[in-house]
Amino acid sequence: MLNYLLKRLAAIVPTVFFVTIIIFGLQQLLPGDPAVILAGENQDPDVIAYLQKKMHLDKALPVRYAYWVAGVFQGDLGESLRIQQPVLDLLKEKLPVTLELAALAMLIALVIGIPAGIVSAVGKDTVWDYAANVIALWGLSTPNFWLGILMILLFSVSLGWLPASGYVSPFEDLKANLAAMIMPAFVLGNAIAAVLMRHTRSAMLQVLNADYVRTARAKGLDERTVVLKHALRNALTPIITLGALEFGTLLSGAVLTEQVFSIPGFGKLIVDAVFNRDYAVVQGVVLFTSSVYIVLNLLADLAYFLVNPRLRDSA
């Protein structure tokens, strides 16, 4: 396993390098001069020259890239020119909000999606299978923003049970925090649960017909043990991969959901930065989310060794 881990870590280095090139290169393709845009309506030449120098826009493209990468390695992701605040501080401020929302949404997705997929596979072609597939189809086809608006109308406007929008830190008021986060978390978790259900069902159907499952049943093991210990454990590999990717998507910011519920997370931050041409913030957020995807994929690969003994033997 150690050799495998070292190989994966060695592969991450060039991956991160190419990611930084893509992020920086695509940023340069955006139309307009950031300095001219940030200078305001008057567009004072002195102000434009100052902004160009501050953002290294007066340098050649490779030099600007070197400045940016050097700052990244030193923990300096630049400064937001709109609000005059370091990008790293903005990420630290928004990360707990997005992390909590992503964790709650993923928990809801796992609680709903995996059991539904198991029940659907075990009860193939029964009423439980059809019901689970209908629910999954509903989850896949329902737009998040539309579901969010309906939930606000029902639980906030009509029933008055939950707040329609806003965010309260759990350190200030845990009850108010959960009340504000449960609807957006369910909206996001609902869609992921549908995908998890379909993948769990497909993986379980494959392993339930395997020889080792038939052997376990022939030994007289009860069906619960066969399904949960033998079948599910061997079906977890694609589920782990999907879960890691979906969690990375949640951490990158659920733009529409955060806008509907006024959640001050990464989604709102990146939208505001794009509209304001705050390039340092855009680069910082995209670099962070890309790094999260890379780390989550590494953790998913390591998790395979815990659930699949055959991988440990071949490593």
Side-chain angles (χ1 to χ4, degrees):
M1 181 176 178
L2 180 60
N3 291 333
Y4 177 79
L5 177 60
L6 292 176
K7 291 178 181 179
R8 293 290 293 145
L9 290 175
I12 285 177
V13 176
T15 302
V16 173
F17 172 70
F18 284 114
V19 166
T20 60
I21 292 179
I22 293 173
I23 293 173
F24 185 82
L26 291 178
Q27 186 77 24
Q28 309 309 310
L29 296 178
L30 293 177
D33 188 339
V36 174
I37 296 170
L38 293 172
E41 296 181 358
N42 294 330
Q43 295 186 354
D44 189 321
D46 294 335
V47 175
I48 294 175
Y50 166 78
L51 291 173
Q52 288 178 336
K53 184 176 181 180
K54 185 174 183 178
M55 295 186 292
H56 307 296
L57 296 175
D58 55 341
K59 307 291 185 182
L61 193 61
V63 177
R64 284 150 54 189
Y65 171 76
Y67 271 115
W68 179 62
V69 172
V72 169
F73 282 113
Q74 296 173 11
D76 180 14
L77 298 178
E79 183 181 87
S80 170
L81 295 178
R82 284 288 178 180
I83 58 179
Q84 300 296 312
Q85 188 174 349
V87 175
L88 189 59
D89 290 347
L90 288 174
L91 294 180
K92 291 178 181 178
E93 178 184 334
K94 304 298 183 182
L95 178 60
V97 180
T98 299
L99 186 60
E100 181 188 2
L101 180 59
L104 288 174
M106 202 66 206
L107 178 62
I108 291 172
L110 292 173
V111 169
I112 297 175
I114 293 181
I118 295 173
V119 170
S120 178
V122 173
K124 184 176 181 292
D125 296 329
T126 65
V127 65
W128 296 107
D129 185 22
Y130 296 133
N133 277 282
V134 168
I135 295 174
L137 182 61
W138 174 79
L140 289 170
S141 58
T142 305
N144 286 348
F145 72 91
W146 184 77
L147 179 60
I149 293 172
L150 288 184
M151 293 187 71
I152 290 174
L153 290 175
L154 176 60
F155 294 105
S156 300
V157 178
S158 299
L159 300 176
W161 292 353
L162 299 170
S165 61
Y167 174 78
V168 179
S169 172
F171 302 104
E172 296 179 7
D173 190 336
L174 181 59
K175 184 178 180 181
N177 169 264
L178 293 176
M181 296 293 279
I182 188 63
M183 283 199 296
F186 180 81
V187 168
L188 294 172
N190 168 73
I192 299 175
V195 180
L196 279 174
M197 178 268 163
R198 297 294 298 172
H199 278 73
T200 303
R201 180 182 185 275
S202 177
M204 287 292 293
L205 286 176
Q206 292 182 5
V207 298
L208 284 174
N209 294 322
D211 292 337
Y212 58 85
V213 173
R214 286 194 291 268
T215 302
R217 285 171 173 158
K219 290 181 178 179
L221 296 178
D222 63 276
E223 189 66 14
R224 181 188 295 270
T225 302
V226 172
V227 172
L228 297 182
K229 184 176 180 180
H230 294 275
L232 179 60
R233 187 171 183 178
N234 287 277
L236 280 178
T237 300
I239 301 172
I240 291 173
T241 302
L242 176 65
L245 294 177
E246 293 292 347
F247 191 64
T249 302
L250 291 172
L251 285 178
S252 65
V255 177
L256 291 178
T257 304
E258 290 186 4
Q259 290 287 348
V260 170
F261 290 96
S262 298
I263 303 295
F266 277 166
K268 184 171 175 54
L269 177 64
I270 191 68
V271 169
D272 293 342
V274 170
F275 279 114
N276 293 327
R277 299 293 181 89
D278 205 341
Y279 290 172
V281 176
V282 175
Q283 288 178 334
V285 174
V286 175
L287 178 62
F288 174 81
T289 55
S290 302
S291 302
V292 166
Y293 268 106
I294 293 172
V295 172
L296 287 174
N297 273 280
L298 175 62
L299 294 178
D301 290 343
L302 296 179
Y304 297 157
F305 284 84
L306 300 177
V307 301
N308 195 334
R310 291 174 297 179
L311 293 177
R312 293 198 297 269
D313 295 338
S314 61

